[in-house]
Amino acid sequence: MQRRRPDRDPAFRRTYESARVQGVTFPATVSAGTGVGDSRPAGRPGAGELLDLLRARAHGGTTGTPVTHVERVPARPGTVVDWPEWVPAELRAALAGQGVVAPWRHQAEAAGHAYAGRHVVVATGTASGKSLAYQLPALATLLADPRATVLYLAPTKALAADQLRAVAALGLDGVRPACYDGDTPRAERDWIRAHSRFVLTNPDMLHHGILPGHARWSAFLRRLAFVVVDECHTYRGVFGSHVAHVLRRLRRQAARYPGTPRSVPGQRGAAGGPGPAPDGPVFVLASATSGDPAAAAERLTGLPVTAITEDTAPRGGLTFALWEPPLLPPPTGGPDPAHLADEVTAGAGLDAAPVRRSALRETADLLGDTVAAGVRTLAFVRSRRGAEVIATTARRSLDEAVPGLGARVAAYRSGYLREERRSLEQALLGGELLGLASTSALELGVDLVGLDAVLICGYPGTRASLWQQAGRAGRSGGEALAVLVARDDPLDTYLVHHPEALFGRPVEATVLDPANPYVLGPQLCCAAAESPLTPADLELFGEGAKEAVDALVAGGALRRRPTGWYWRHTGRPEVDLRGTGGAPVDVVESSTGRLLGTVDPASSHFQVHPGAVYLHQGVSYVVDDLNLDDGCALVHAEEPDWSTHPRDVTSLSVVSVRSYLDCGPVGMFLGEVDVTSQVVSYQRRRLASGEVLATLPLDLPARELRTVAVWFTVSPESLAAAGVEAAEVPGALHAAEHAAIGLLPLVATCDRWDIGGLSTANHPDTEAPTVFVYDGHPGGAGFAERAYRAASAWLSATRDAIAECGCEAGCPSCVQSPKCGNGNNPLAKPEAVRVLDVVLTNLAKMAPAEPADT
């Protein structure tokens, strides 16, 4: 049964009228710093009441409940300690003016380690005040030593801008904080280099701008006392491996300039501040709660790091609900149009009716409900398109019920211009916006005071991200509500019915591999371009550096001289930290020349191919042309009655085998593979019915990727013995592949968009039925290795997710994939269970063998 539209739903109007009678006005402006949670009257719904309201209104009053589990995290008090004696009175007074009268114990402990010269990572929960842990030693040093400088690194521009607001609000003389990133006007950059003592930037700008121009930054680097690495748990996979070497390059350049100050126990300068030490700045890292944060921080920095993990901050109670959209019967005339807007179904093939209501539509309705109740809410969604769809749908629903109320909802995502992002951030902080649909750009650290509820559209891939997103609400200490809305996806379905996999379990360890040769080689080229490499530098860059340099010399990238290894070319090495494939593609309105936003190159083939529908702040555009050489997509405004869904093809070849398990009829392998993929066509589907109107060819270049994969082979004889007929083998392997990709985040710190897969009934390199799952990053990201080591647990969960699903022939909750280039055809659900039974039975008998000689 379809959910009622708000304009036909008396309950929606009653919710709005109830809020209005209680004193909530729309569109009212909430004072900055107080938040809706503080300014609304006492009669507004609390977390439990709000959940009951949402549950009662769900699906137009149909029977049953979408809530599969409710976890209540109790409130706890905080532990306050005295200010450390080295914190100057001026800083204490400034913090008191911002409402910070004393530190929590973990803040003081971490700050003490840093001020004493020890590298430290503070890994505590969301809203635990990690910022103060690095602000105390950094600002105390800047006040005590007028020469010292501090470099702050954030993974997103929004977080750096938020930290700039916080430091600037203290009003400390001589600190002169400033953001230096891609949005900084060039006229301001010279002033920042010359005068700012607290520079806030991101790894990309450090890599592309600061380190290549280190001579212009020599005064700043010479005095660098602290390097703050905020939200360091986000530096994982290939991105994290690149950032690890960027930090080593920073350490290397700082060491080239004598006189770098550092806090050292018992050693103070004439002004009472820290005295200089020869081994560089102190690193202070902040992380969400993660598994083994000290080891991750040491891999990231290449330095010994002390971990502070006990969270002593107070925490308001949290009601955390798991929400599964309902199963829907096939509506007359075709699929539910709401599904067609969902990124989960893009390219998934909709020849059969959708099984569940779209998670995007469900989240949009919940966002509208909470805004109507006067509850300040942030909805997280995994894709840019999803954020646009949720915001647009919620706005329309609210405006249909109460004209003008939709203006209190907006989307927030990467790809917006700087002015748009800053305007949205200010509107949310100031209270002009009550609801925001955001990608993970607002997951990190930004202090969104007064949020009462968080909606999470689809499992974000890791428990660390899940708790980070849920922690955005309740930051003022009050009760908060978090709702995880499950997508039609094997992992999401598994989790909402197995809450023990989410709650009461430690979060994942951060996975990164600085020795990845596809990262190490390019980063050594960058270092050599900045200044010649020496044998001592190779020790700094760690395992594999000497072999990588020798390969670079043999390949003509570096030249050996008595004084070191030199970069041979005139231009700088082109190295992309985030693996997006180069410079962003500009999206330009063809009639006006107006820049609408940007798309990363890796996504451009899917999002802005010729004929694609592109969404921007609720406005629909159609792509006229994609010029990859110029990095530009030309679009025109149009609202067609169809959606677009790209289709791609993939081939894979085995390069080498690193390790394997010989389990008789089953083999489990880990090794390197070459993957070739190409977007070859796209479908136009009618919005009203899902009918395929046309399949149109595309002429886009193929993309090639050498990466790491885990794969298993099964002998045809064992499959036949298990009751899998030869005709069903392709569909059985295809279904098992999809489900295995969906469940891999249970054992590896990734999400399904980090990985890919391929299955075949007879692969030419293995000469057997084979299922491959590979890392979607050059050189691998460590995910396949995790899958290989935890193969039994991973494939057991995969088997259970398929077997326990209530569908007959397979659905997005078990074996259909949102990324399938073959339209989810063929699929054989019962036979996939039998295939996995054969694999698991034989895996249980064997132990790892030595790597094969290949």
Side-chain angles (χ1 to χ4, degrees):
M1 180 178 295
Q2 291 294 317
R3 187 170 182 173
R4 299 176 186 173
R5 289 175 53 184
D7 56 337
R8 301 173 185 170
D9 187 353
F12 185 94
R13 287 192 174 276
R14 285 197 299 272
T15 299
Y16 169 73
E17 287 299 323
S18 174
R20 184 184 61 78
V21 169
Q22 292 170 7
V24 183
T25 57
F26 301 100
T29 298
V30 182
S31 300
T34 59
V36 175
D38 298 322
S39 63
R40 282 206 313 274
R44 67 175 173 82
E49 295 172 306
L50 179 60
L51 178 59
D52 290 340
L53 172 67
L54 298 177
R55 182 161 33 189
R57 287 208 48 249
H59 321 306
T62 58
T63 58
T65 174
V67 177
T68 62
H69 179 79
V70 177
E71 188 81 7
R72 302 195 185 275
V73 181
R76 68 160 185 243
T79 303
V80 176
V81 297
D82 293 333
W83 290 109
E85 61 179 14
W86 46 264
V87 178
E90 180 183 357
L91 179 54
R92 298 187 196 188
L95 291 168
Q98 297 296 310
V100 182
V101 295
W104 310 118
R105 187 178 65 208
H106 70 272
Q107 293 173 326
E109 187 177 355
H113 280 293
Y115 194 75
R118 292 182 287 272
H119 310 292
V120 63
V121 56
V122 52
T124 53
T126 308
S128 60
K130 292 185 284 289
S131 298
L132 190 65
Y134 54 73
Q135 287 174 0
L136 282 179
L139 295 174
T141 298
L142 295 183
L143 292 173
D145 182 355
R147 304 168 302 162
T149 59
V150 171
L151 183 66
Y152 169 94
L153 299 174
T156 65
K157 294 176 182 177
L159 180 54
D162 183 72
Q163 286 297 305
L164 175 63
R165 286 190 290 267
V167 174
L170 296 175
L172 298 171
D173 291 337
V175 173
R176 299 187 292 275
C179 273
Y180 190 90
D181 57 32
D183 291 339
T184 304
R186 294 198 173 274
E188 297 179 12
R189 297 187 180 188
D190 289 341
W191 183 92
I192 293 172
R193 281 193 295 267
H195 301 290
S196 178
R197 300 175 61 218
F198 197 120
V199 173
L200 301 99
T201 187
N202 51 62
D204 307 83
M205 186 53 118
L206 181 60
H207 163 64
H208 288 293
I210 295 176
L211 290 175
H214 59 84
R216 291 179 294 170
W217 287 87
S218 59
F220 184 91
L221 293 171
R222 181 177 291 113
R223 303 164 183 169
L224 188 58
F226 290 96
V227 176
V228 177
V229 185
D230 206 356
E231 304 291 359
C232 66
H233 64 282
T234 63
Y235 301 125
R236 60 180 176 87
V238 170
F239 177 43
S241 302
H242 273 296
V243 172
H245 287 298
V246 172
L247 295 181
R248 285 160 176 78
R249 286 162 50 200
L250 172 63
R251 291 173 51 203
R252 177 174 177 254
Q253 293 304 327
R256 294 184 70 241
Y257 299 99
T260 302
R262 176 187 171 191
S263 296
V264 178
Q267 183 174 352
R268 293 288 181 266
D279 51 353
V282 174
F283 280 76
V284 187
L285 302 97
S287 170
T289 303
S290 65
D292 202 357
E298 288 173 359
R299 283 195 300 272
L300 189 62
T301 62
L303 296 164
V305 178
T306 300
I308 305 298
T309 58
E310 184 182 1
D311 191 340
T312 59
R315 181 182 62 196
L318 175 68
T319 299
F320 203 134
L322 304 183
W323 186 291
E324 184 176 42
L327 288 166
L328 296 175
T332 303
D336 178 1
H339 273 74
L340 300 180
D342 198 331
E343 80 273 22
V344 171
T345 61
L350 292 175
D351 298 327
V355 175
R356 292 197 179 275
R357 195 168 188 266
S358 162
L360 286 181
R361 183 58 188 266
E362 195 82 347
T363 304
D365 284 345
L366 293 174
L367 181 60
D369 292 345
T370 58
V371 169
V375 175
R376 199 172 182 184
T377 308
L378 183 61
F380 283 107
V381 62
R382 298 156 64 92
S383 72
R384 296 181 178 188
R385 182 181 182 183
E388 296 282 0
V389 168
I390 286 178
T392 300
T393 306
R395 279 197 297 262
R396 289 174 179 171
S397 297
L398 289 166
D399 280 336
E400 286 171 349
V402 184
L405 186 53
R408 306 298 300 276
V409 177
Y412 184 101
R413 60 172 176 81
S414 58
Y416 284 170
L417 303 182
R418 176 193 183 190
E419 295 75 17
E420 287 180 291
R421 293 197 306 270
R422 298 295 177 264
S423 176
L424 289 168
E425 292 162 14
Q426 290 297 333
L428 184 63
L429 291 171
E432 290 87 352
L433 290 175
L434 275 181
L436 198 65
S438 172
T439 58
S440 59
L442 285 180
E443 174 183 325
L444 306 173
V446 178
D447 192 8
L448 305 177
V449 177
L451 280 179
D452 298 299
V454 165
L455 307 173
I456 304 170
C457 182
Y459 181 60
T462 65
R463 289 185 294 276
S465 289
L466 181 74
W467 287 107
Q468 188 80 356
Q469 292 181 3
R472 293 299 95 195
R475 292 176 69 88
S476 57
E479 292 282 327
L481 173 67
V483 180
L484 171 62
V485 182
R487 292 166 301 138
D488 231 355
D489 172 273
L491 179 58
D492 284 36
T493 302
Y494 180 89
L495 291 174
V496 294
H497 291 286
H498 295 79
E500 69 278 2
L502 291 177
F503 304 109
R505 294 189 61 186
V507 297
E508 305 87 350
T510 303
V511 177
L512 68 149
D513 180 17
N516 181 339
Y518 288 84
V519 173
L520 180 55
Q523 286 292 332
L524 287 169
C525 288
C526 292
E530 290 157 7
S531 57
L533 290 168
T534 66
D537 292 331
L538 301 188
E539 183 177 350
L540 172 67
F541 286 96
E543 179 185 351
K546 180 60 171 67
E547 293 78 4
V549 164
D550 291 342
L552 291 169
V553 171
L558 300 182
R559 175 176 292 147
R560 181 75 165 97
R561 290 286 183 264
T563 53
W565 291 272
Y566 287 73
W567 173 243
R568 295 188 60 176
H569 305 285
T570 54
R572 292 184 53 244
E574 293 292 333
V575 178
D576 179 13
L577 299 188
R578 298 179 186 262
T580 55
V585 174
D586 294 333
V587 182
V588 178
E589 189 173 26
S590 55
S591 61
T592 64
R594 180 168 63 103
L595 177 64
L596 296 176
T598 61
V599 175
D600 65 83
S603 301
S604 62
H605 292 212
F606 294 89
Q607 295 186 13
V608 289
H609 60 76
V613 175
Y614 174 79
L615 295 175
H616 184 88
Q617 279 294 3
V619 180
S620 176
Y621 298 86
V622 174
V623 179
D624 299 315
D625 180 62
L626 171 62
N627 189 319
L628 293 171
D629 292 333
D630 294 339
C632 179
L634 297 177
V635 304
H636 69 272
E638 181 182 345
E639 292 194 12
D641 63 350
W642 37 262
S643 59
T644 54
H645 305 270
R647 310 292 290 271
D648 65 330
V649 295
T650 301
S651 62
L652 181 150
S653 61
V654 176
V655 177
S656 65
V657 175
R658 294 182 182 178
S659 185
Y660 69 89
L661 292 168
D662 185 356
C663 309
V666 171
M668 179 67 66
F669 298 84
L670 177 72
E672 291 186 335
V673 297
D674 281 335
V675 181
T676 302
S677 61
Q678 184 177 19
V679 177
V680 295
S681 64
Y682 71 98
Q683 288 183 342
R684 287 180 178 174
R685 300 183 189 149
R686 193 181 302 278
L687 288 175
S689 65
E691 173 192 358
V692 176
L693 301 176
T695 299
L696 304 175
L698 290 170
D699 183 18
L700 295 172
R703 292 177 177 268
E704 296 183 354
L705 172 72
R706 176 162 291 187
T707 185
V708 179
V710 57
W711 66 94
F712 64 80
T713 60
V714 190
S715 70
E717 294 78 12
S718 65
L719 292 179
V724 182
E725 300 293 335
E728 299 295 340
V729 169
L733 297 176
H734 196 194
E737 171 216 331
H738 284 178
I741 290 172
L743 271 294
L744 183 55
L746 279 180
V747 299
T749 311
C750 66
D751 60 43
R752 73 179 307 153
W753 304 98
D754 288 322
I755 49 186
L758 182 141
S759 58
T760 176
N762 185 20
H763 192 275
D765 293 334
T766 64
E767 298 181 344
T770 310
V771 171
F772 294 90
V773 176
Y774 58 84
D775 294 353
H777 300 274
F783 308 139
E785 285 93 335
R786 284 293 182 101
Y788 179 76
R789 290 197 296 268
S792 293
W794 168 40
L795 296 178
S796 292
T798 300
R799 187 257 181 215
D800 292 344
I802 301 173
E804 294 172 4
C805 185
C807 71
E808 293 184 5
C811 69
S813 297
C814 57
V815 298
Q816 288 188 2
S817 168
K819 304 192 299 177
C820 183
N822 296 321
N824 284 293
N825 184 46
L827 292 175
K829 175 186 174 181
E831 289 77 8
V833 175
R834 294 178 193 143
V835 168
L836 291 169
D837 283 338
V838 172
V839 173
L840 290 166
T841 299
N842 286 278
L843 274 180
K845 301 176 182 177
M846 305 300 295
E850 290 300 316
D853 295 327
T854 58

